[in-house]
Amino acid sequence: MTADLGMPVPASPGAVRVERVVTSGVFELDGGSWEVDNNVWLVGDDHEVLVVDAAHDAEAILAAVGDRRVVAIVCTHGHNDHVNAVGDLVAATGATASLHPADRVLWDQSQAEPPGGELADGMPFTVGDVELTVIHTPGHAPGACCLHAPALGVLLSGDTLFKGGPGATGRSYSDFPTIIDSIRTRLLGLPPETVVLTGHGDPTTIGAEAPHLQEWVARGH
């Protein structure tokens, strides 16, 4: 289903806008499984759309896409709950799904086919008249990436930065000092009013999170 972002993301009729589809399923890693709700973000106008994280339910994502052309599917990282609808979405739309190559170790745990494209730091994606830039932010996963769209004032953060702190680093292929370094050096220098659209849960802003960095370091998660 689509949902109100709950944050002031600029939009006008026909302009590039951000939409959220919330899907539910199971996250599996290291022999454990957890029921989760995921945010799937659609960035686009009335004619084309970029899908960020194809999670759980391809039919729900396709319903939100409608008759728009999918220009690309960006996978912020390779955990199964962020990529388990990729195959069906690629088959239905013909779009290319891209993942940072450092996350193939996670992708290959749940996906039989390789991703069609590779993300790289600084790589641009264009939808409508808006450019989004890939920011490599390892820590939650080695190939974790965010997408920054300055024209919209948004950062699509995947599982790197949440309302209240960094993404989890207690499982395989994650590292707490690395995610703290990624957030400190790659994200907290963005304009404080930047809306952070997260992989799970509610949006936040860079300005709301930046003052708490040392608290996160002190608590260790």
Side-chain angles (χ1 to χ4, degrees), residues 21-46:
V21 181
V22 179
T23 61
S24 301
V26 177
F27 166 50
E28 298 177 314
L29 188 65
D30 295 339
S33 62
W34 301 265
E35 293 185 359
V36 290
D37 295 330
N38 284 61
N39 294 327
V40 181
W41 298 104
L42 308 182
V43 184
D45 56 20
D46 293 341

Side-chain angles (χ1 to χ4, degrees), residues 73 75 86 90 95-99 104 107 113-119:
I73 303 162
C75 306
V86 164
V90 168
T96 297
S98 296
L99 176 84
R104 278 295 301 273
W107 171 281
E113 299 296 328
E118 293 187 351
L119 300 179

Side-chain angles (χ1 to χ4, degrees), residues 38-145:
N38 284 61
N39 294 327
V40 181
W41 298 104
L42 308 182
V43 184
D45 56 20
D46 293 341
H47 306 289
E48 59 185 23
V49 64
L50 174 82
V51 176
V52 181
D53 287 343
H56 305 305
D57 190 341
E59 288 188 7
I61 300 168
L62 289 168
V65 168
D67 60 2
R68 293 178 288 180
R69 180 176 72 92
V70 177
V71 299
I73 303 162
V74 174
C75 306
T76 62
H77 60 293
H79 285 150
N80 77 292
D81 62 315
H82 288 257
V83 302
N84 53 12
V86 164
D88 289 341
L89 207 60
V90 168
T93 65
T96 297
S98 296
L99 176 84
H100 194 283
D103 253 27
R104 278 295 301 273
V105 65
L106 292 166
W107 171 281
D108 290 344
Q109 293 182 16
S110 66
Q111 302 301 300
E113 299 296 328
E118 293 187 351
L119 300 179
D121 189 59
M123 183 176 181
F125 286 89
T126 300
V127 58
D129 59 356
V130 168
E131 183 170 281
L132 302 94
T133 303
V134 174
I135 305 175
H136 182 211
T137 53
H140 179 70
C145 291

Side-chain angles (χ1 to χ4, degrees), residues 177-189 213-214 217:
T178 300
I179 199 171
I180 288 294
D181 185 64
S182 290
I183 292 170
R184 177 192 291 117
T185 63
R186 307 306 310 276
L187 302 184
L188 295 188
L213 178 67
Q214 292 308 313
V217 173

Side-chain angles (χ1 to χ4, degrees), residues 192-212:
E193 66 272 16
T194 301
V195 177
V196 181
L197 303 177
T198 58
H200 308 271
D202 295 330
T204 184
T205 65
I206 292 294
E209 302 308 317
H212 303 289

